[in-house]
Amino acid sequence: MYGDGATVRRILSETGDTWAVVGLSSNRQRAAYGVAQVLQRFGKRVVPVHPKAETVHGEQGYASLADIPFEVDVVDVFVNSELAGAVADEAVAKGAKAVWFQLDVVDEAAYERTRAAGLDMVMDRCPAIEIPRLG
């Protein structure tokens, strides 16, 4: 298990409310679209990060984490496991406080690097499933 209950709770309730969602586009069929809606419903600012830099859910999109001109608290990663490690490294460079890899996104080396850099991290879990459980 990558990210115990205390880490999940800390990221969702204490880490901050600005979430960069990597892989979020205007494609309503993608999981990122629905998860971002849930995060917004629970008071999170969702910043789309996608090569198209589309505006999604009323928020301006950016082509990369480095392009975001403000601080990001959590980087939520909706890319294939093969690409996720590089995104985690970008999150560390950006100064994020936490990284969240979505369901089925696993990179153990990235997890170790990110934790060693001092960030909280969760892998292979979904915040849209976890946040309602905080109750």
Side-chain angles (χ1 to χ4, degrees):
M1 187 67 112
Y2 300 98
D4 57 36
T7 302
V8 168
R9 178 174 289 282
R10 187 167 49 252
I11 292 172
L12 291 172
S13 62
E14 300 171 22
T15 299
D17 290 334
T18 302
W19 286 53
V21 181
V22 179
L24 175 57
S25 71
S26 61
N27 183 345
R28 294 171 183 261
Q29 304 306 310
R30 302 295 303 225
Y33 190 88
V35 170
Q37 280 184 311
V38 171
L39 289 169
Q40 280 187 325
R41 234 183 1 257
F42 282 89
K44 307 300 182 191
R45 178 182 184 190
V46 172
V47 182
V49 180
H50 188 279
K52 294 180 183 177
E54 300 172 300
T55 296
V56 184
H57 300 311
E59 288 285 348
Q60 167 65 49
Y62 297 90
S64 71
L65 287 173
D67 291 341
I68 300 173
F70 47 82
E71 289 186 12
V72 169
D73 299 310
V74 181
V75 176
D76 189 4
V77 182
F78 278 93
V79 300
N80 293 332
S81 296
E82 298 78 38
L83 305 172
V87 176
D89 295 339
E90 291 171 30
V92 171
K94 176 74 180 161
K97 299 171 190 158
V99 175
W100 191 298
F101 281 10
Q102 282 294 326
L103 292 171
D104 298 322
V105 179
V106 176
D107 181 331
E108 292 180 11
Y111 182 85
E112 295 303 325
R113 286 194 312 272
T114 303
R115 295 290 297 129
L119 282 70
D120 277 333
M121 186 164 177
V122 172
M123 274 196 317
D124 195 24
R125 309 237 336 229
C126 180
I129 293 169
E130 303 295 336
I131 200 166
R133 295 178 179 170
L134 294 179

